[in-house]
Amino acid sequence: MTSATPIRHKGSLAVFGAVTFTTSWGFWLIAIALGGSVKNSPSVIPYVLGGFGPVFGAIVVRVRRGRRGEPVPARTVRLRLSTRLCWVLPLLVMASATVLAAALLADLVGGPAMSLTEGRRLISDIGGPVPFFVSMLVAGPLSEEPGWRGTAYPRLRASFGRLQAGLLLGAVWAIWHLPLFFVSGTLQAKFGLLSWNGPLFVLSIVPMALLTGYAYERAGVAASTAVHLGVNATIALFDVSSPVPLASMVAVQAIVAITLLARWRDHRTDLPVHTDAHYSRQTVTNTMEAP
């Protein structure tokens, strides 16, 4: 990697951040101005479009890189079906298990008992298991991971280690969510920014960033999407929405993420990354994982 590479990545990160925050916050401000719940039209339209801000940022960065003839970042992870896809399901289960463990821990220390009652009601209101799965997959995992992990993370890794990159991206990711506390009908608005739940939700995004970053380095955007899906869906199914379960989830996920990162040694023989020279000889075809 040349000495100019970090500077080039900083420029791409600045563009990604500007596009992501401008589009997301712009659409969400429109939803706030409309005043209605995002569960109904017309507020639902800017709310959904705002969630795709990271994808818009990823697209702009990819187009910009292509026009400038810049190589793919050396830390970009491409999905190889033969060697990487096997990580997706175990990571999905692991992510879901962290939420379940937190719910059980909260129950043991006197918090609310773990229950599927609210989850069943949610599935029924949405229209069944399939619409529930699709909504959980699109709203968050697919609308965010190509940007946060597929675009921003590998560029941060050009200058930082896994832990530092995950913490930095987690802080930015948490700030990105803040307008949702003022959008009627969102989970964040239900929490309230000034309640115990609000800060705990914001804090929970940091260990989540570490887990999704670890997953990305194992098997690319497919794996980080699986982790994001596993956490979100399990939170919704078991209604992890009170202070004790949320605090337990922050603790459990932080312990799991730091343990995984500490145990993984960066052996070049099985690190799924590519050098600039390697990519200068190839045509990049995977837009989600090599923007």
Side-chain angles (χ1 to χ4, degrees), residues 18 25 28 58 73 75 77 80 92 100 116 126 166 176 200-201 214 245:
W25 285 18
W28 289 339
R75 292 284 176 171
V77 181
R80 294 178 179 175
L92 172 64
L100 291 174
L116 276 170
I126 290 178
W176 176 79
L200 283 171
F201 170 82
Y214 171 84

Side-chain angles (χ1 to χ4, degrees), residues 157-243:
R157 286 285 282 119
S159 302
F160 302 100
R162 293 189 184 94
L163 180 60
Q164 295 93 330
L167 291 173
L168 180 57
L169 188 55
V172 174
W173 196 17
I175 294 170
W176 176 79
H177 281 86
L178 291 181
L180 293 175
F181 283 95
F182 307 98
V183 180
S184 178
T186 63
L187 176 65
Q188 292 81 4
K190 175 185 174 182
F191 285 162
L193 184 57
L194 300 181
S195 68
W196 280 107
N197 285 347
L200 283 171
F201 170 82
V202 174
L203 182 61
S204 72
I205 295 173
V206 177
M208 175 77 159
L210 295 177
L211 287 176
T212 49
Y214 171 84
Y216 174 79
E217 294 216 28
R218 282 299 189 187
V221 170
S224 65
T225 298
V227 168
H228 200 153
L229 171 63
V231 171
N232 283 8
T234 310
I235 288 175
L237 285 172
F238 290 92
D239 192 28
V240 180
S241 59
S242 57

Side-chain angles (χ1 to χ4, degrees), residues 24 33 37 50 64 81 145 152 190 238 246 270 276 281:
S24 291
S37 171
R64 178 177 180 268
L81 295 180
E145 288 306 313
K190 175 185 174 182
F238 290 92
L246 282 172
D270 43 28
D276 288 355
R281 299 191 301 269

Side-chain angles (χ1 to χ4, degrees), residues 11 25 29 40 46 66 81 84 90 138 146-147 168 182 205 233 236 274 277-278 288:
W25 285 18
L29 286 174
N40 304 310
L81 295 180
R84 304 298 173 195
V138 173
L168 180 57
F182 307 98
I205 295 173
H274 303 272
H278 175 80
M288 290 182 63

Side-chain angles (χ1 to χ4, degrees), residues 71-95:
V72 173
R75 292 284 176 171
T76 295
V77 181
R78 301 184 70 190
L79 179 62
R80 294 178 179 175
L81 295 180
S82 60
T83 58
R84 304 298 173 195
L85 193 57
C86 61
W87 281 99
V88 173
L89 182 58
L91 288 168
L92 172 64
V93 173
M94 178 273 296

